[in-house]
mmCIF file of all heavy atoms in Angstrom:
data_model
loop_
_atom_site.group_PDB
_atom_site.id
_atom_site.type_symbol
_atom_site.label_atom_id
_atom_site.label_comp_id
_atom_site.label_asym_id
_atom_site.label_seq_id
_atom_site.Cartn_x
_atom_site.Cartn_y
_atom_site.Cartn_z
ATOM 1 N N PHE R 928 57.996 141.651 39.052
ATOM 2 C CA PHE R 928 57.146 141.633 40.242
ATOM 3 C C PHE R 928 57.930 141.201 41.480
ATOM 4 O O PHE R 928 57.687 141.708 42.583
ATOM 5 C CB PHE R 928 55.944 140.721 40.006
ATOM 6 C CG PHE R 928 54.939 141.287 39.043
ATOM 7 C CD1 PHE R 928 54.645 140.637 37.856
ATOM 8 C CD2 PHE R 928 54.291 142.481 39.314
ATOM 9 C CE1 PHE R 928 53.725 141.169 36.965
ATOM 10 C CE2 PHE R 928 53.366 143.026 38.437
ATOM 11 C CZ PHE R 928 53.086 142.363 37.254
ATOM 12 N N CYS R 929 58.876 140.274 41.309
ATOM 13 C CA CYS R 929 59.735 139.897 42.441
ATOM 14 C C CYS R 929 60.585 141.081 42.881
ATOM 15 O O CYS R 929 60.806 141.296 44.083
ATOM 16 C CB CYS R 929 60.632 138.721 42.053
ATOM 17 S SG CYS R 929 59.787 137.137 41.897
ATOM 18 N N PHE R 930 61.064 141.862 41.923
ATOM 19 C CA PHE R 930 61.880 143.034 42.237
ATOM 20 C C PHE R 930 61.076 144.062 43.028
ATOM 21 O O PHE R 930 61.576 144.638 44.008
ATOM 22 C CB PHE R 930 62.412 143.647 40.941
ATOM 23 C CG PHE R 930 63.314 144.821 41.146
ATOM 24 C CD1 PHE R 930 64.658 144.641 41.468
ATOM 25 C CD2 PHE R 930 62.846 146.116 41.001
ATOM 26 C CE1 PHE R 930 65.495 145.722 41.663
ATOM 27 C CE2 PHE R 930 63.673 147.204 41.184
ATOM 28 C CZ PHE R 930 65.010 147.014 41.514
ATOM 29 N N LEU R 931 59.833 144.292 42.626
ATOM 30 C CA LEU R 931 58.991 145.248 43.357
ATOM 31 C C LEU R 931 58.716 144.761 44.775
ATOM 32 O O LEU R 931 58.746 145.546 45.731
ATOM 33 C CB LEU R 931 57.679 145.454 42.604
ATOM 34 C CG LEU R 931 57.768 146.205 41.278
ATOM 35 C CD1 LEU R 931 56.413 146.233 40.585
ATOM 36 C CD2 LEU R 931 58.284 147.615 41.479
ATOM 37 N N GLY R 932 58.446 143.454 44.923
ATOM 38 C CA GLY R 932 58.256 142.912 46.262
ATOM 39 C C GLY R 932 59.506 143.020 47.113
ATOM 40 O O GLY R 932 59.437 143.274 48.322
ATOM 41 N N MET R 933 60.667 142.836 46.488
ATOM 42 C CA MET R 933 61.937 142.968 47.197
ATOM 43 C C MET R 933 62.134 144.398 47.706
ATOM 44 O O MET R 933 62.543 144.621 48.859
ATOM 45 C CB MET R 933 63.086 142.581 46.267
ATOM 46 C CG MET R 933 64.471 142.717 46.858
ATOM 47 S SD MET R 933 65.741 142.782 45.569
ATOM 48 C CE MET R 933 65.500 144.446 44.914
ATOM 49 N N VAL R 934 61.840 145.373 46.855
ATOM 50 C CA VAL R 934 61.992 146.775 47.250
ATOM 51 C C VAL R 934 61.058 147.117 48.404
ATOM 52 O O VAL R 934 61.447 147.794 49.367
ATOM 53 C CB VAL R 934 61.731 147.705 46.046
ATOM 54 C CG1 VAL R 934 61.735 149.170 46.484
ATOM 55 C CG2 VAL R 934 62.787 147.491 44.970
ATOM 56 N N LEU R 935 59.827 146.637 48.339
ATOM 57 C CA LEU R 935 58.872 146.898 49.422
ATOM 58 C C LEU R 935 59.358 146.287 50.735
ATOM 59 O O LEU R 935 59.315 146.947 51.787
ATOM 60 C CB LEU R 935 57.504 146.324 49.049
ATOM 61 C CG LEU R 935 56.426 146.399 50.138
ATOM 62 C CD1 LEU R 935 56.158 147.840 50.551
ATOM 63 C CD2 LEU R 935 55.142 145.718 49.664
ATOM 64 N N SER R 936 59.830 145.049 50.701
ATOM 65 C CA SER R 936 60.332 144.403 51.919
ATOM 66 C C SER R 936 61.518 145.165 52.489
ATOM 67 O O SER R 936 61.624 145.359 53.703
ATOM 68 C CB SER R 936 60.731 142.953 51.610
ATOM 69 O OG SER R 936 59.636 142.219 51.106
ATOM 70 N N ARG R 937 62.396 145.623 51.618
ATOM 71 C CA ARG R 937 63.571 146.361 52.088
ATOM 72 C C ARG R 937 63.180 147.667 52.762
ATOM 73 O O ARG R 937 63.745 148.037 53.814
ATOM 74 C CB ARG R 937 64.509 146.632 50.899
ATOM 75 C CG ARG R 937 65.790 147.376 51.236
ATOM 76 C CD ARG R 937 66.704 146.541 52.120
ATOM 77 N NE ARG R 937 67.931 147.246 52.434
ATOM 78 C CZ ARG R 937 69.078 147.095 51.757
ATOM 79 N NH1 ARG R 937 69.118 146.273 50.710
ATOM 80 N NH2 ARG R 937 70.155 147.743 52.124
ATOM 81 N N LEU R 938 62.233 148.365 52.207
ATOM 82 C CA LEU R 938 61.783 149.621 52.809
ATOM 83 C C LEU R 938 61.174 149.385 54.190
ATOM 84 O O LEU R 938 61.398 150.175 55.117
ATOM 85 C CB LEU R 938 60.756 150.304 51.897
ATOM 86 C CG LEU R 938 61.289 150.918 50.600
ATOM 87 C CD1 LEU R 938 60.140 151.351 49.709
ATOM 88 C CD2 LEU R 938 62.203 152.096 50.907
ATOM 89 N N LEU R 939 60.424 148.303 54.327
ATOM 90 C CA LEU R 939 59.730 148.055 55.589
ATOM 91 C C LEU R 939 60.692 147.770 56.733
ATOM 92 O O LEU R 939 60.540 148.313 57.836
ATOM 93 C CB LEU R 939 58.745 146.886 55.416
ATOM 94 C CG LEU R 939 57.513 147.166 54.562
ATOM 95 C CD1 LEU R 939 56.694 145.904 54.384
ATOM 96 C CD2 LEU R 939 56.655 148.277 55.171
#
Side-chain angles (χ1 to χ4, degrees):
F928 288 118
C929 288
F930 183 81
L931 290 175
M933 178 199 74
V934 174
L935 174 60
S936 301
R937 181 66 180 264
L938 288 171
L939 289 175

